[in-house]
Amino acid sequence: MRHSSRRLLTGAALVLAAGAGLGMAPTAASAAGVTAVVDVNSQLKVRAQPSLAAAIKGTLHDGQRIAVACQVTGQSVRGKLRTTAVWDRLTSGYYVSHSYVKATAKVPACGGTPAADKVKAKPAQSGKTAYVTAKVRTADGAVNVRTAPSTQGASVRKVANGATVQLVCAVPGSNVRGTVRTTTQWDRTTDGRYLSHAYVVAATLAACAPSSPATPATPSMTQAQFIAAAVSGAQQGWRQYGVPPSVTIAQAILESGWGKSGLAAVDRNYFGIKCQSGKFGTIASGCHVYQTTECDKAGKCFATSDAFRTYATMAHSFRDHGYFLKVNQRYTPAFAYTRDANNFIWQVWKAGYATDPNYYTKVTGIMAAYRLYQYDTWK
């Protein structure tokens, strides 16, 4: 889950600070707003918008006092204190996640709408109902309401047998065998969450409107630009976990098509690492569910969905790739060759990383063709 041009000084004024790597000055917060204290293990990033993907505008240290003007709803963050989608707008106009903030008093919502409350749909002005009231029927225990139409989506709450729910539309998702039926339909609730239609008794729901195409998080780069952007994260991955930088960069090139795959362009996921039961580890920033098609051995194909990890930066994706290999015991033999790139990727492939029989040849071919061995920092 996962600053640098401004400092927050006493009062509302912002001034430019000289030099690079700047943080927010450890001074008392402005008199305006609610006083709060930062509780973070290292540093808390201050961002231009309430999102981990927004531009970084500064840093705060543990124990620093800040002035919070109001709260908004943004990207959900799992922090030291709590997991929440609430972000605190500082008196500077920038944002920090409330998952790392202790406020001394109740913070008002920006614009007067309760930031942490889920907004329920109301009847439309035309008199048509904006939602369908339905009943949950389950003999399997409480049903999970999830962040995405997939059993991989994170569970945000549970609903018991007989509970009333308010639904707005239906989307395809992962197949579920439930008490009422077996289906790939998932029902979107009025607060934007999902539960499987396999446990729902309701009138027919209209299909949800298609979401607008996601905006690429990473601009298209030339091959030289891609390699240059990849070096820092790959080398950091080697220092932390022992994966040779040349291997990491070559795998990213092969698996993301030079960063042009949907996963890489939108979510900065260059290796196709998935979420597991809605969990995305400590480096990724969340999960994104994609509708996919899979085929069984008999050649029968079916629609399904998978949740993939999302990252704030390319470097975070590269570090998580190193962590993924390090903690999976099947790849342990490769770490006897942390200074031997070719032997390292041979052991990874041999352990079953990829089913492509030419995977090793492709990766080492990229390493040689683009002179990636020069980035192996032990040389």
Side-chain angles (χ1 to χ4, degrees):
M1 303 196 136
R2 293 57 8 218
H3 302 274
S4 53
S5 61
R6 301 176 189 269
R7 289 185 179 172
L8 178 64
L9 303 179
T10 304
L14 283 170
V15 296
L16 291 176
L22 304 177
M24 289 196 165
T27 58
S30 167
V34 175
T35 301
V37 178
V38 174
D39 189 355
V40 64
N41 289 331
S42 54
Q43 291 183 325
L44 176 61
K45 295 177 176 63
V46 179
R47 297 187 181 270
Q49 298 294 331
S51 166
L52 295 175
I56 298 167
K57 295 298 182 179
T59 56
L60 298 166
H61 62 71
D62 184 46
Q64 185 167 342
R65 293 169 65 84
I66 57 175
V68 179
C70 56
Q71 292 180 330
V72 300
T73 301
Q75 181 178 356
S76 181
V77 176
R78 181 174 60 184
K80 183 178 179 182
L81 298 177
R82 61 187 70 85
T83 298
T84 181
V86 175
W87 286 67
D88 297 326
R89 181 187 293 170
L90 306 180
T91 51
S92 65
Y94 297 137
Y95 299 85
V96 293
S97 171
H98 192 60
S99 59
Y100 297 98
V101 175
K102 293 178 181 176
T104 58
K106 183 175 177 59
V107 180
C110 301
T113 302
D117 292 347
K118 297 179 176 68
V119 180
K120 296 185 178 180
K122 296 181 180 180
Q125 294 299 318
S126 64
K128 294 182 180 178
T129 304
Y131 56 80
V132 171
T133 300
K135 288 283 187 181
V136 173
R137 184 184 297 168
T138 172
D140 302 325
V143 178
N144 289 303
V145 179
R146 299 183 180 276
T147 56
S150 166
T151 53
Q152 296 291 313
S155 175
V156 293
R157 63 179 181 277
K158 295 178 182 291
V159 287
N161 183 47
T164 299
V165 289
Q166 294 173 337
L167 310 173
V168 293
C169 56
V171 297
S174 57
N175 191 56
V176 176
R177 183 172 61 184
T179 302
V180 180
R181 61 184 68 83
T182 298
T183 180
T184 58
Q185 177 177 323
W186 285 69
D187 301 331
R188 183 183 295 170
T189 61
T190 52
D191 62 354
R193 309 301 186 177
Y194 299 86
L195 73 160
S196 172
H197 195 60
Y199 296 97
V200 173
V201 177
T204 302
L205 289 170
C208 298
S211 18
S212 52
T215 303
T218 307
S220 180
M221 294 183 281
T222 66
Q223 292 180 351
Q225 289 171 332
F226 183 92
I227 292 172
V231 171
S232 176
Q235 290 180 336
Q236 186 176 0
W238 179 76
R239 289 191 292 271
Q240 284 186 275
Y241 305 113
V243 180
S246 58
V247 169
T248 300
I249 299 171
Q251 285 189 282
I253 291 170
L254 180 60
E255 295 178 31
S256 74
W258 292 93
K260 292 180 173 61
S261 71
L263 276 175
V266 175
D267 297 316
R268 298 188 180 93
N269 184 334
Y270 295 86
F271 306 94
I273 300 178
K274 296 181 180 179
C275 293
Q276 300 296 329
S277 300
K279 297 179 181 178
F280 49 85
T282 59
I283 300 175
S285 57
C287 303
H288 186 169
V289 176
Y290 285 85
Q291 305 302 318
T292 61
T293 299
E294 293 187 4
C295 301
D296 58 24
K297 292 181 179 179
K300 183 179 179 181
C301 298
F302 53 93
T304 185
S305 60
D306 270 317
F308 293 86
R309 297 184 183 186
T310 64
Y311 299 92
T313 66
M314 175 188 274
H316 286 180
S317 177
F318 282 27
R319 287 175 54 217
D320 209 19
H321 167 258
Y323 177 77
F324 172 82
L325 294 177
K326 186 70 173 179
V327 300
N328 281 276
Q329 293 185 354
R330 67 193 295 183
Y331 303 120
T332 298
F335 288 88
Y337 302 97
T338 58
R339 293 172 181 259
D340 184 341
N342 281 20
N343 262 322
F344 185 95
I345 190 59
W346 171 259
Q347 294 294 330
V348 167
W349 173 77
K350 201 165 108 176
Y353 182 91
T355 56
D356 182 354
N358 297 315
Y359 187 80
Y360 169 79
T361 303
K362 290 177 180 177
V363 172
T364 53
I366 292 171
M367 289 156 65
Y370 296 96
R371 302 178 59 243
L372 302 183
Y373 297 107
Q374 66 181 304
Y375 304 114
D376 292 338
T377 51
W378 61 86
K379 294 184 177 180

